[in-house]
Amino acid sequence: MADKRNRAGTIVGLDLTITDAPGLRDFYAEVVGWKPEPLSMGTHDDYMMLAPDGTPVAGICRKAGGNADLPPQWLTYVAVDDLPASLEKVTAQGGEVVRAPAGAGPGAFALIKDPAGATLALMQNPYPDGDDGR
């Protein structure tokens, strides 16, 4: 049976990108009880933050490379079935594409602002069949 968490329209990620990833990693570990798990990015580690039961709940990322232009705020990722078509709808509905798609295929994402100015990331559904392999 397909995993309903990975269908279009569902939240598939939550990241915070800042200059001091280790400092914020420790802050959230202490304040909310998340357990940091290093995720190697080659030259540095980002962190997958795990709930006490080991479930991934968020990412804390270093503001560098491809992430250097991301705002220092919690960024929510929502799955869409067709990223280019969704981006066309963003502008047609009065929103703005803030950052063009990064990557291609499943997992590609773009940043948008809605007409009220709120930022959101749209992600080409990483699990189009709803099965994340678990």
Side-chain angles (χ1 to χ4, degrees):
M1 182 169 182
D3 187 335
K4 293 179 182 176
R5 293 173 296 175
N6 298 312
R7 291 199 177 148
T10 62
I11 294 173
V12 294
L14 180 65
D15 284 342
L16 177 61
T17 301
I18 60 316
T19 54
D20 182 15
L24 268 284
R25 166 204 68 198
D26 296 344
F27 173 86
Y28 282 102
E30 186 65 30
V31 171
V32 299
W34 289 343
K35 178 184 174 201
E37 182 174 289
L39 178 64
S40 177
M41 303 306 289
T43 59
H44 65 278
D45 284 341
D46 283 347
Y47 302 93
M48 176 64 69
M49 303 302 286
L50 309 176
D53 69 358
T55 303
V57 292
I60 296 184
C61 309
R62 182 174 161 215
K63 192 175 185 88
N67 288 340
D69 64 340
L70 294 180
Q73 65 189 35
W74 282 103
L75 187 56
T76 303
Y77 293 77
V78 174
V80 295
D81 284 332
D82 185 337
L83 183 58
S86 291
L87 295 177
E88 287 180 19
K89 292 175 184 176
V90 166
T91 56
Q93 293 297 314
E96 174 187 354
V97 176
V98 177
R99 181 178 181 189
F109 71 96
L111 268 55
I112 66 162
K113 278 190 182 176
D114 66 23
T119 304
L120 181 72
L122 299 180
M123 178 180 280
Q124 180 67 44
N125 195 345
Y127 308 107
D129 61 0
D131 181 9
D132 67 0
R134 284 187 267 175

